[in-house]
Amino acid sequence: MGTALVTGATSGLGLEFAWQLAQARHNLILVARTSERLREVAEEMRQFAGVQVEVLRADLSQRDELELVAERLRDPNKPVGLLVNNAGFGLGQPFVGGDLAPEEQALDVMVRAVMVASHAAAGAMVRRGRGAILNVSSIAAHTAVGTYAAHKAWVLRFTEVLAVELAGSGVTATALCPGLVHTGFHAAAGIDETQWKESLWLDAERVVSDGLAAVRRGQVICTPSLGYRCGNAVLRLAPRWLVRRMAEDPERSRRQPE
Ligand SMILES: NC(=O)c1ccc[n+]([C@@H]2O[C@H](COP(=O)([O-])OP(=O)(O)OC[C@H]3O[C@@H](n4cnc5c(N)ncnc54)[C@H](OP(=O)(O)O)[C@@H]3O)[C@@H](O)[C@H]2O)c1
């Protein structure tokens, strides 16, 4: 695959993607907002994995900065073989009564940036007749828990559409749907991790290696771990009223006026 571009590569799953790809001898382009952290990670990867690493500082919620990523993906002289659309964050607030600014930012990062980067990468890859796009969705895509569920449902369905359009082109599209993973995600959103029992948590290393194996197989949807695959099957078979009921916050129902 040559060079891989990973968004959100300074922490959590993105950092793990970068390490596993570097260990598999891919050169890397690391994208995130924090320049210092990008430089540190790049330097470690050059030293310990001996691969070439470019850093591209960009806030993916800003259209002009996102365009820098798209331009890099389109560059015919420096082909990118794998795009990992990984950057994302939790909102940790209800939509009704919550702030609108983070809602808009979430759409920009987890929906618009995925679309723009995929458009740039798919065009360039199809012209070369090879390449792969991996979009990080979530098991939340099948639920009705917060607007995050809607963003990740978009990523999942969009990836399926991409896979259909790309069939026979030599380029593949894969959606990765992890369950809970200990990363910086929950702390950044002010979400208490202790509300879920430890057996529900997945290991970032395993989630990423399953995702990369799915890319190698050209698999369209990958849900790491048997437990989450069973949960996913239940969510898909359950009537939607039950899925909505499961997402209800009993505290909120108690607070509602009669
Ligand atoms: N952790 C879980 O339980 C879980 C489960 C299912 C799916 N996911 C998904 O997995 C993906 C990775 O999340 P994670 O758990 O690894 O979270 P994380 O540890 O918080 O990492 C998020 C990464 O995204 C970058 N990022 C955030 N906002 C950005 C922006 N506006 N522009 C550019 N980069 C940005 C961050 O870097 P900077 O702050 O430097 O920009 C960081 O590198 C997300 O799409 C998330 O929705 C996570």
Side-chain angles (χ1 to χ4, degrees):
M1 274 177 204
T3 300
L5 185 148
V6 182
T7 69
T10 50
S11 165
L13 292 175
L15 182 59
E16 183 63 32
F17 271 115
W19 273 116
Q20 291 195 21
L21 288 164
Q23 277 154 11
R25 313 297 309 150
H26 292 265
N27 293 325
L28 291 166
I29 306 160
L30 309 178
V31 180
R33 289 169 301 184
T34 320
S35 305
E36 200 184 319
R37 185 78 190 114
L38 276 169
R39 271 196 302 274
E40 277 169 18
V41 171
E43 196 42 46
E44 281 174 24
M45 286 187 185
R46 287 185 198 109
Q47 268 186 24
F48 295 109
V51 295
Q52 290 173 31
V53 187
E54 286 173 50
V55 297
L56 189 41
R57 201 218 72 86
D59 180 343
L60 297 173
S61 70
Q62 302 301 308
R63 188 61 183 83
D64 54 340
E65 297 184 28
L66 170 60
E67 191 53 29
L68 300 175
V69 177
E71 274 170 18
R72 180 62 188 84
L73 287 163
R74 283 192 290 260
D75 189 338
N77 301 315
K78 293 193 275 179
V80 174
L82 171 66
L83 163 64
V84 183
N85 276 312
N86 162 80
F89 59 93
L91 282 131
Q93 64 167 18
F95 176 74
V96 179
D99 289 342
L100 194 55
E103 293 287 346
E104 293 192 52
Q105 200 189 9
L107 262 188
D108 290 342
V109 174
M110 290 187 279
V111 175
R112 184 178 64 178
V114 174
M115 175 179 63
V116 170
S118 296
H119 188 266
M125 288 172 183
V126 167
R127 274 191 289 282
R128 290 195 302 276
R130 61 180 189 280
I133 297 171
L134 174 58
N135 293 328
V136 180
S137 174
S138 167
I139 196 80
H142 306 289
T143 72
V145 184
T147 52
Y148 178 80
H151 307 138
K152 292 302 184 181
W154 183 90
V155 173
L156 177 58
R157 195 53 51 83
F158 169 71
T159 307
E160 288 192 278
V161 171
L162 256 186
V164 169
E165 288 200 15
L166 290 169
S169 68
V171 182
T172 60
T174 300
L176 178 64
C177 300
L180 294 163
V181 194
H182 285 300
T183 62
F185 180 93
H186 298 92
I191 300 170
D192 176 15
E193 293 192 347
T194 60
Q195 65 183 295
W196 295 286
K197 50 183 184 183
E198 201 47 47
S199 58
L200 288 173
W201 293 85
L202 300 173
D203 180 30
E205 194 180 328
R206 157 89 191 278
V207 168
V208 166
S209 65
D210 280 10
L212 292 176
V215 170
R216 284 192 291 276
R217 287 193 296 272
Q219 188 179 326
V220 179
I221 301 173
C222 170
T223 304
S225 103
L226 181 61
Y228 275 107
R229 276 196 293 282
C230 294
N232 183 2
V234 170
L235 284 167
R236 277 190 289 119
L237 292 173
R240 291 308 293 178
W241 66 262
L242 182 57
V243 174
R244 291 193 296 276
R245 178 72 56 83
M246 285 156 66
E248 277 173 14
D249 173 0
E251 287 300 313
R252 192 164 54 230
S253 322
R254 269 201 289 279
R255 284 195 303 269
Q256 269 166 7
E258 297 296 310

